[in-house]
Amino acid sequence: MKYYSTNKSVEMVSLMEAVTKGLAADNGLFMPERIDAFDRHFFEHIHQMSFQEISFEVARKFFGEDIPEDILKEIVDDAINFDCPVVRVNDSVYSLELFHGPTLAFKDVGGRFMARLLAYFLKGFKREVNVLVATSGDTGSAVANGFFQVPGIKVYVLYPKGLVSDIQEKQFTTLGHNITALEVDGTFDDCQRLVKSAFLDQELNEALVLTSANSINVARFLPQAFYYFNAYARLREQGISGDLVFSVPSGNFGNLTAGLFAKFMGLPVKRFIAANNSNDIVYNYLQTGKYEPRASIATIANAMDVGAPSNFARILELYNHSLSSISMDIVGYRYSDDEIRETMKQVFVEENYMLDPHGAVGYRALKADLKDGEVGVFFETAHPAKFTETVESVIGKGTVKLPAKLAEFMKGEKLSIAMSTDYDDFKQFLLNQ
Ligand SMILES: *Cc1c(COP(=O)(O)O)cnc(C)c1O
């Protein structure tokens, strides 16, 4: 399968090139040239298949022409080694718990999948590949853990000093080996600027092979389609039927875009809800047809604090830039920090279900939008313990238990290198590695 750029001013490339480059040479995002649909037979049996088995079938549709079947199976089995259950919260509202992976965030699947796919492509490649990631918290931990000890790849995680939670910081600063954490004396935007400057620096790119691991990369975002098929299967398994609505707490829109791909592959989805925090750029687009990116605003659902959602270009491409077509499949909601807190509290008290701030945005939008006869699934994208301080400030001290996987990280020793916001310092550092 070939991949084209959303900007359409460069030739199509192979999967290997799309994964190793990340972004197309014309700054567009890569899209698969076709989206193959499943036949009826697949959907007749899907509820008898495990999350892993379903994921393999979905992965074959995208990557089957480019990766030998046995290797693709190994990659999927390695990335999908945990459950992703649907849990009823109330009425017809279900939580799809995406936080049972190694770092307890949904980005684990894409992070690990991309690491393994890249490692496969780099076999026999003489040079080391350097993955640069700027993170406000969650991406860094998922990518670092996904790439940990993968041969031939070095990872540099840039994060803003003092602006990530203790748990998040421990998840990428304690690993060592091929993972280097750079503690930048600035903001997330500074981290992102350093990484972008590096990708655009010709001299640096001649000296080093560089790639990115955020959701612009097809190997990171396409595997998120697995979740949607699995949710459908797990509902069917429990004998639950009705028109299916997905509510997706969104920042860069990688997760929601993967859901649109699932729908194009034949998954019966009635509509998607784009659930935003105060960073309501896509919400505003859906109301007015005007797309106006701007600087991000800090909220308590910080993994969604994105002012220029990178996957929006893919959504426009899928629907031929037509607002009316997009509006048939996607509706938008947005909530303030106060509304997020109110929802976390209410669902904990009334339903005895603990939401993290991101999941709370998804839940609230779903509650507001769901109609009779529909079944709603919201994505619970992170374990509440990753945001213990925020969650406990709302529902009470001592309520959040630290899962064993996170407790293990807390025991490790922080290893990080201080970095200024000056690009030349960062460049010299990379050249000296
Ligand atoms: C990354 C992230 C999101 C947003 O996902 P996008 O694919 O960027 O829209 C939501 N919740 C959590 C916990 C995240 O880490």
Side-chain angles (χ1 to χ4, degrees):
M1 177 110 64
K2 290 251 189 288
Y3 289 79
Y4 69 92
S5 162
T6 50
N7 284 347
K8 298 189 179 132
S9 51
V10 285
E11 298 281 299
M12 291 208 276
V13 301
S14 65
L15 174 62
M16 172 167 169
E17 206 174 321
V19 175
T20 47
K21 289 239 165 80
L23 203 62
D26 62 1
N27 267 331
L29 276 75
F30 287 116
M31 295 282 279
E33 62 178 329
R34 316 184 304 276
I35 302 175
D36 293 336
F38 283 108
D39 56 22
R40 265 192 26 223
H41 180 79
F42 174 73
F43 291 109
E44 276 162 16
H45 296 282
I46 191 168
H47 57 289
Q48 294 153 346
M49 296 166 73
S50 67
F51 179 30
Q52 227 177 33
E53 288 164 341
I54 293 168
S55 301
F56 177 59
E57 293 307 322
V58 177
R60 275 173 66 181
K61 291 278 183 204
F62 291 114
F63 310 116
E65 291 173 9
D66 298 285
I67 314 280
E69 196 149 300
D70 53 329
I71 295 188
L72 189 58
K73 180 99 179 54
E74 263 178 46
I75 294 176
V76 169
D77 288 354
D78 185 47
I80 312 286
N81 54 8
F82 51 89
D83 281 336
C84 178
V86 286
V87 175
R88 183 169 171 274
V89 177
N90 59 26
D91 304 326
S92 298
V93 170
Y94 293 80
S95 168
L96 180 71
E97 295 185 347
L98 306 181
F99 56 69
H100 297 286
T103 77
L104 311 186
F106 81 86
K107 294 183 178 76
D108 283 329
V109 164
R112 187 69 183 162
F113 191 93
M114 179 186 160
R116 292 294 312 266
L117 198 68
L118 197 55
Y120 166 73
F121 283 135
L122 295 179
K123 280 222 176 92
F125 191 70
K126 297 250 171 347
R127 297 173 68 193
E128 210 166 48
V129 169
N130 301 281
V131 174
L132 307 182
V133 237
T135 186
S136 54
D138 264 10
T139 307
S141 48
V143 169
N145 283 274
F147 282 79
F148 183 52
Q149 293 189 323
V150 175
I153 304 175
K154 275 192 179 166
V155 176
Y156 297 91
V157 179
L158 289 81
Y159 71 102
K161 181 176 174 175
L163 297 178
V164 302
S165 75
D166 285 351
I167 290 172
Q168 288 175 324
E169 185 175 34
K170 287 276 184 171
Q171 285 184 310
F172 51 78
T173 57
T174 56
L175 295 165
H177 292 275
N178 62 329
I179 311 297
T180 305
L182 300 175
E183 187 172 14
V184 176
D185 195 8
T187 63
F188 171 64
D189 290 337
D190 291 316
C191 298
Q192 203 151 27
R193 181 176 46 76
L194 291 175
V195 168
K196 279 192 181 151
S197 306
F199 287 131
L200 296 172
D201 183 331
Q202 209 170 343
E203 189 193 17
L204 188 66
N205 282 273
E206 276 161 22
L208 300 170
V209 185
L210 301 179
T211 190
S212 84
N214 60 33
S215 60
I216 59 168
N217 199 301
V218 288
R220 247 248 9 234
F221 107 90
L222 282 175
Q224 292 168 13
F226 306 164
Y227 292 136
Y228 294 84
F229 288 95
N230 180 65
Y232 173 76
R234 302 289 73 90
L235 288 171
R236 283 264 306 274
E237 190 180 37
Q238 298 179 40
I240 298 152
S241 60
D243 292 334
L244 186 54
V245 177
F246 281 110
S247 177
V248 187
S250 295
N252 263 321
F253 278 78
N255 222 358
L256 192 138
T257 306
L260 302 175
F261 274 81
K263 179 167 179 160
F264 281 66
M265 293 165 85
L267 186 70
V269 181
K270 190 165 177 199
R271 72 181 169 283
F272 294 88
I273 300 172
N276 275 149
N277 59 24
S278 301
N279 294 278
D280 52 5
I281 292 86
V282 171
Y283 171 82
N284 287 333
Y285 168 80
L286 291 167
Q287 313 309 311
T288 65
K290 289 199 193 98
Y291 177 66
E292 296 173 327
R294 53 167 200 263
S296 62
I297 303 165
T299 76
I300 58 168
N302 64 9
M304 292 153 56
D305 292 349
V306 178
S310 47
N311 285 288
F312 187 68
R314 287 192 166 114
I315 298 179
L316 289 177
E317 180 61 25
L318 282 172
Y319 292 91
N320 285 319
H321 294 251
S322 158
L323 173 64
S324 61
S325 307
I326 291 175
S327 302
M328 278 195 262
D329 281 355
I330 309 175
V331 295
Y333 287 83
R334 60 135 184 238
Y335 296 107
S336 67
D337 279 1
D338 283 344
E339 290 168 320
I340 296 171
R341 288 196 191 92
E342 182 183 274
T343 300
M344 285 163 61
K345 174 120 201 177
Q346 188 209 342
V347 173
F348 186 69
V349 172
E350 290 174 15
E351 315 297 345
N352 198 23
Y353 190 82
M354 198 186 293
L355 292 165
D356 94 294
H358 307 79
V361 177
Y363 170 88
R364 185 157 179 156
L366 186 57
K367 262 323 237 193
D369 197 64
L370 205 65
K371 320 273 186 300
D372 283 346
E374 294 176 343
V375 175
V377 174
F378 69 96
F379 280 22
E380 180 39 293
T381 45
H383 193 289
K386 293 197 82 170
F387 301 92
T388 300
E389 248 173 69
T390 307
V391 175
E392 291 197 338
S393 74
V394 175
I395 64 173
K397 270 248 162 290
T399 41
V400 181
K401 281 200 221 66
L402 198 65
K405 279 181 215 166
L406 283 186
E408 208 44 52
F409 281 111
M410 291 309 278
K411 286 189 209 148
E413 190 198 341
K414 171 178 157 183
L415 307 162
S416 65
I417 296 171
M419 184 61 57
S420 77
T421 54
D422 181 15
Y423 175 63
D424 283 328
D425 288 348
F426 179 49
K427 178 174 176 177
Q428 280 315 315
F429 171 80
L430 289 177
L431 288 171
N432 290 336
Q433 290 308 293

